[in-house]
Amino acid sequence: MDRTKAAGYITVDGKRVYQDRDRPNGITGTSLIAADRTAVQEEIMTVIEGAGLTGDAGDFTQLFKAINKILSGSEEGYFLKSGDTAAWVTSDGWLVAGNSRGMSGGSGANGAVQAGDYVWSDGITAYGYGKMAVSLSVADVNGKGGDYRVGALLQFTAFDGTQENFYFRGDGYIYDQNGNKFLKAADLDGVVANTNPGITGAISGTSLCVNPDDGRAYFAYSGNTKVAVLAWNADVQAETQARVNAVISEANAREAADTNLQNQIKNCALKSELPLPEGMHCQVFSAPIPSPCPEAGWLVDIPSGWKTHSFVTACDTGANVYAVSAVVENNTQARLWAKYPTNGAWAQGGEVTVTSFGYPS
């Protein structure tokens, strides 16, 4: 199609256009020629027929229908606004999309719907960024009214093309594409309640509840004869920290007690409760074994020394077992030997307990 080239055209903004005839002012006007009228006619008819419609001299909406049909991609799909009428619409609506109640998805010849077929109607679709889209249509499973897919179909496509279907059924529930049912608040009546056996008005059975006295959550079970408090995250953290602190405190106490005992053994002259000679005392202390124990033995210092060192004994301590010999070296030292009693080899480290007897200065 092109702009008119008929005699008498004028140019406005670089475009060839028509002008009216004005004989008193000497303007003849633009001629109406067949080429121009035919061009307009054929341009419009090309759209109408290209959409699969047949020209109808009595229908002045065919161009509108054809455009809607092409945009919707549906052979019979077009929109009706409030006030428009069509044989297949039972009541006026603000916006109607689709065809003569036809459904797609039939498995029979030429798309005929068979028993058990999952079918859907034309819908309204809105598009967003990327592949994002949402559409609303009607879905059905022929002959199976109880199927969760019978109802309004809301289909959502995410940016990456991932698609989710949600079905709104006549039973008042929403189902996902796997048939999972979304519960309503009323479905939880009798299961979750703000009551428990310790509160007036408690319900029977098993329930979650909140005690208004302390505002804490409880779980009632066994016919509401037993109640267990539900721990909050803060409770769990506090209890965990308390247990950790208790373990640390006990470990510290044990370490302190062990250190105190070792200090007493090494540094304290103990008065013997044994029937020792008058004025004799003993000192008990721990001595480390060199690794390995030398054949000549090794010297250990008596913590406080003696005026007169009478005698000394030694034995093993701890998990290892040693055969230990001890003799007085002088008033401030004793000599020790340690072997493994199982094979007679010299001990390779460890500790022994030494008991020294003498008279203090």
Side-chain angles (χ1 to χ4, degrees):
M1 188 173 184
D2 195 7
R3 292 185 173 86
T4 183
K5 296 180 181 179
Y9 74 84
I10 61 175
T11 302
V12 178
D13 296 331
K15 302 174 184 178
R16 300 188 302 273
V17 298
Y18 292 89
Q19 68 170 338
D20 292 330
R21 181 170 51 193
D22 186 358
R23 287 180 176 174
N25 293 307
I27 299 174
T28 60
T30 305
S31 300
L32 297 178
I33 59 176
D36 287 349
R37 297 178 65 86
T38 301
V40 173
Q41 170 187 284
E42 293 307 309
E43 193 77 20
I44 295 174
M45 288 303 300
T46 297
V47 176
I48 293 174
E49 293 176 346
L53 303 178
T54 301
D56 183 352
D59 187 350
F60 299 152
T61 66
Q62 284 191 293
L63 179 59
F64 170 77
K65 292 177 181 178
I67 293 173
N68 274 285
K69 182 177 175 182
I70 294 170
L71 291 176
S72 68
S74 171
E75 188 172 326
E76 291 293 339
Y78 52 89
F79 292 110
L80 298 178
K81 63 181 183 300
S82 182
D84 291 342
T85 59
W88 53 273
V89 178
T90 57
S91 62
D92 288 345
W94 179 73
L95 186 66
V96 179
N99 57 28
S100 301
R101 299 185 181 274
M103 305 285 272
S104 302
S107 61
N110 298 319
V113 178
Q114 307 297 306
D117 282 350
Y118 170 66
V119 294
W120 57 91
S121 72
D122 292 333
I124 302 173
T125 302
Y127 295 93
Y129 293 112
K131 297 181 180 180
M132 292 180 66
V134 62
S135 64
L136 178 64
S137 59
V138 176
D140 187 28
V141 179
N142 190 36
K144 295 183 179 180
D147 192 288
Y148 69 88
R149 294 170 294 177
V150 176
L153 168 60
L154 182 67
Q155 187 175 77
F156 172 70
T157 303
F159 186 86
D160 61 357
T162 304
Q163 194 174 80
E164 292 286 345
N165 291 347
F166 298 94
Y167 299 89
F168 296 76
R169 292 205 54 203
D171 60 4
Y173 289 94
I174 302 173
Y175 297 79
D176 67 11
Q177 58 196 19
N178 298 314
N180 297 311
K181 181 178 181 180
F182 293 88
L183 297 179
K184 297 182 289 188
D187 297 321
L188 301 178
D189 290 346
V191 178
V192 178
N194 189 29
T195 58
N196 67 34
I199 303 173
T200 302
I203 61 174
S204 61
T206 300
S207 62
L208 293 174
C209 46
V210 176
N211 189 338
D213 293 336
D214 59 14
R216 306 302 294 272
Y218 290 82
F219 177 64
Y221 59 101
S222 295
N224 272 350
T225 60
K226 299 179 181 180
V227 177
V229 66
L230 299 180
W232 293 355
N233 183 53
D235 296 334
V236 175
Q237 290 180 333
E239 177 66 19
T240 301
Q241 189 60 53
R243 291 179 180 270
V244 171
N245 292 342
V247 171
I248 294 175
S249 178
E250 181 179 357
N252 290 339
R254 287 179 179 273
E255 183 179 1
D258 290 344
T259 300
N260 183 56
L261 179 59
Q262 292 297 326
N263 290 336
Q264 289 181 11
I265 291 174
K266 292 179 179 179
N267 302 321
C268 295
L270 304 177
K271 183 179 180 180
S272 175
E273 299 296 334
L274 298 175
L276 299 175
E278 182 68 26
M280 180 177 283
H281 291 73
C282 72
Q283 297 181 58
V284 181
F285 58 94
S286 177
I289 302 173
S291 181
C293 174
E295 293 186 17
W298 79 98
L299 293 175
V300 296
D301 294 327
I302 308 303
S304 298
W306 300 110
K307 179 180 180 181
T308 302
H309 192 178
S310 299
F311 64 97
V312 63
T313 63
C315 63
D316 64 285
T317 60
N320 293 318
V321 177
Y322 305 104
V324 186
S325 299
V327 296
V328 173
E329 184 76 14
N330 51 56
N331 286 347
T332 61
Q333 291 180 309
R335 185 174 295 274
L336 307 180
W337 291 264
K339 286 187 174 183
Y340 294 114
T342 54
N343 56 17
W346 293 106
Q348 299 292 315
E351 288 192 351
V352 294
T353 299
V354 181
T355 306
S356 177
F357 298 86
Y359 295 89
S361 301

